[in-house]
Amino acid sequence: MKTKILIMLTIMITLFSANIFAKDVITKTSFKVNGNCDMCKSRIEKATKTKGVKSANWNEQTHILTIVYVPAKISADQIKQNIANAGYDTDKFKSTAEDYNKLPQCCQYERVN
Ligand SMILES: [Cu+2]
């Protein structure tokens, strides 16, 4: 009897902690974000700074943004949308002409249609 209770308890604790763990699973992904310079870098990285995003690094040479995030809290699409709202085209969402035009002249990267 005592053993059965112990086994049940162990199973419950295991399931419980697995559940907590799942909520904190982090994913790393990379995708292209158009931009030019250092100022773009800080603007792009700032645009990703929301709940669920652990880190973001945009490479000025390759234009590749690498993000580490918690999928249970935010989707990659939502992050891409936030970047597009800041004026930068991603591989999935394009910025509106209005948001793009808000960028300083030097940051208005060449847009590819
Ligand atoms: Cu710039």
Side-chain angles (χ1 to χ4, degrees):
M1 190 64 195
K2 230 178 177 180
T3 333
K4 262 190 180 172
I5 291 172
L6 256 173
I7 289 169
M8 282 292 285
L9 257 173
T10 312
I11 291 170
M12 277 172 69
I13 289 166
T14 309
L15 287 176
F16 188 67
S17 43
N19 202 24
I20 288 174
F21 189 69
K23 283 179 186 160
D24 276 329
V25 166
I26 56 168
T27 301
K28 188 177 181 177
T29 190
S30 296
F31 51 88
K32 192 166 182 179
V33 180
N34 279 329
N36 285 335
C37 64
D38 239 28
M39 275 162 74
C40 296
K41 179 177 165 69
S42 58
R43 226 178 274 115
I44 290 165
E45 289 173 359
K46 196 180 159 210
T48 68
K49 294 265 154 65
T50 42
K51 205 179 161 202
V53 179
K54 302 272 182 197
S55 75
N57 185 43
W58 184 73
N59 186 303
E60 205 179 311
Q61 266 78 48
T62 61
H63 296 173
I64 298 294
L65 175 74
T66 302
I67 47 167
V68 177
Y69 68 105
V70 183
K73 288 184 182 160
I74 191 163
S75 67
D77 277 4
Q78 185 56 60
I79 297 166
K80 288 175 185 182
Q81 187 60 65
N82 292 345
I83 296 166
N85 291 346
Y88 293 94
D89 291 343
T90 70
D91 61 341
K92 188 152 182 183
F93 298 106
K94 300 272 171 275
S95 178
T96 62
E98 203 195 339
D99 286 331
Y100 173 81
N101 288 328
K102 279 183 199 158
L103 296 174
Q105 205 105 58
C106 69
C107 288
Q108 293 188 355
Y109 53 90
E110 217 175 298
R111 297 190 101 176
V112 196
N113 284 314

